[in-house]
Amino acid sequence: MSEAVREAPKKERPEFRNIHVTELSNYRMPLAAIVSILHRISGFMMFALLPFVLYLLEQSLRSEISFAYYQGIVSYPLVKLIILALVWGYMHHFCAGVRHLVMDAHIGLDKDSARKSSATVLVISLALTAVVALKLFGVF
């Protein structure tokens, strides 16, 4: 072999490691990853609370007295915040689900389009939640 081939400098290859839980604060996820994680969290939140929400619906439809009772409970600000969290979960899950359906049709798969669509999902879901919050807290 020639001397030039033997003496060629070796390039340092980057080392890819698994991320430990303690390193999560140093890692910056892209916006699409954040939207995907929030989509999973909102889906789990709706699934876990579905029996409780259906029970409350059944109890409120039982009679006029029970409806008035639950109407009184919903007037507390803490309960309104819990309802608002459920509304955000639904709005975000719906908007992110539409985004995933569009991506399943192979539309918007490149990096720039994915970033824009994830930002759009966040803006639309938060705007719809803000509209519901204004109505829920009696602004209009």
Side-chain angles (χ1 to χ4, degrees), residues 5-17:
V5 174
R6 283 189 208 156
E7 295 178 19
K10 293 184 180 180
K11 291 184 180 180
E12 290 292 322
R13 296 185 67 191
E15 180 181 334
F16 295 104
R17 302 176 292 132

Side-chain angles (χ1 to χ4, degrees), residues 30-32 35 99 103 108-124:
L31 191 58
V35 169
R99 175 180 178 256
M103 290 172 67
L109 293 178
D110 60 302
K111 189 176 183 179
D112 194 43
S113 296
R115 184 181 299 124
K116 287 178 184 176
S117 66
S118 60
T120 303
V121 164
L122 282 177
V123 168
I124 290 174

Side-chain angles (χ1 to χ4, degrees), residues 63-127:
S63 68
E64 291 180 23
I65 295 171
S66 65
F67 179 77
Y69 174 73
Y70 286 111
Q71 191 176 18
I73 290 176
V74 171
S75 66
Y76 292 114
L78 181 62
V79 176
K80 287 183 180 183
L81 287 175
I82 293 170
I83 291 171
L84 195 59
L86 283 171
V87 166
W88 169 82
Y90 175 75
M91 296 294 182
H92 180 80
H93 198 76
F94 179 80
C95 293
V98 170
R99 175 180 178 256
H100 286 297
L101 285 175
V102 169
M103 290 172 67
D104 284 344
H106 301 287
I107 299 171
L109 293 178
D110 60 302
K111 189 176 183 179
D112 194 43
S113 296
R115 184 181 299 124
K116 287 178 184 176
S117 66
S118 60
T120 303
V121 164
L122 282 177
V123 168
I124 290 174
S125 65
L126 289 174

Side-chain angles (χ1 to χ4, degrees), residues 38-57:
L38 289 175
H39 180 73
R40 292 170 190 235
I41 290 171
S42 63
F44 176 76
M45 181 176 68
M46 287 189 310
F47 176 74
L49 293 176
L50 183 65
F52 181 66
V53 170
L54 289 177
Y55 172 75
L56 290 179
L57 178 65

